[in-house]
Structure formats: structure tokens, C-alpha cells
Amino acid sequence: NVYSPYSLAYTLGRIADQIGWDAFTQTFTSFYKLPYNALPSTKLGKFNLFLTKLEDYSGQQVFSSFTAKVRQIFRIYFNGT
């Protein structure tokens, strides 16, 4: 359910609301344009790279603000790997 507070899409939407949609869009576009061999090999690595880019584009501390919630969502959606 996209509207559940346990949904990854919901959580990322809330992050975008707080840091600004422009920074979120820039991050998504930058991440999408990366060559496949530039991406980490694990889902967690890719997710961490995305969050790092969010920090770069927004100038805000994304990890520290959302770590507990993101980890909970990540465990639900990616079986804790």
C-alpha cells in the first residue's frame, strides 16, 4: 500500500517533502543516469548511494534524519539483506 507509513514510496515521498522535490528529482535523475557498472552490487549499497546523493543535492542530513525509519522499511521490502 503506497499510503501506508510502512511503504518505501511513502517514506521517500516524506523525505522529498522535507528536503524539497527539486533536490529529490535531481537525485533521482542523477542516479538513473549512472552507468550500470558505477552502481553498487547490493540493494543496500544502491539504497545508501541514493541517500548519499540526496544529501549531496539537498545539503541536508538525510541519513541521520531518517535512518531508523528507512532501515525499518528496507527490512520489510528487502528482507533485511
Side-chain angles (χ1 to χ4, degrees):
N1 182 350
V2 172
Y3 301 105
S4 166
Y6 296 103
S7 162
L8 184 57
Y10 176 86
T11 301
L12 289 174
R14 288 197 38 131
I15 291 170
D17 283 342
Q18 292 183 3
I19 67 168
W21 281 94
D22 188 49
F24 191 86
T25 301
Q26 288 175 331
T27 300
F28 184 82
T29 302
S30 170
F31 190 84
Y32 180 76
K33 290 181 177 181
L34 285 173
Y36 185 76
N37 63 351
L39 294 171
S41 60
T42 65
K43 292 176 185 176
L44 181 57
K46 290 172 186 164
F47 195 67
N48 284 334
L49 176 61
F50 188 82
L51 293 179
T52 299
K53 286 187 169 293
L54 276 175
E55 286 189 347
D56 292 344
Y57 283 106
S58 70
Q60 296 185 35
Q61 299 262 329
V62 175
F63 277 102
S64 62
S65 298
F66 301 99
T67 300
K69 183 67 172 174
V70 169
R71 284 184 182 163
Q72 181 182 12
I73 298 302
F74 195 84
R75 282 189 197 106
I76 291 168
Y77 282 88
F78 298 108
N79 301 320
T81 57

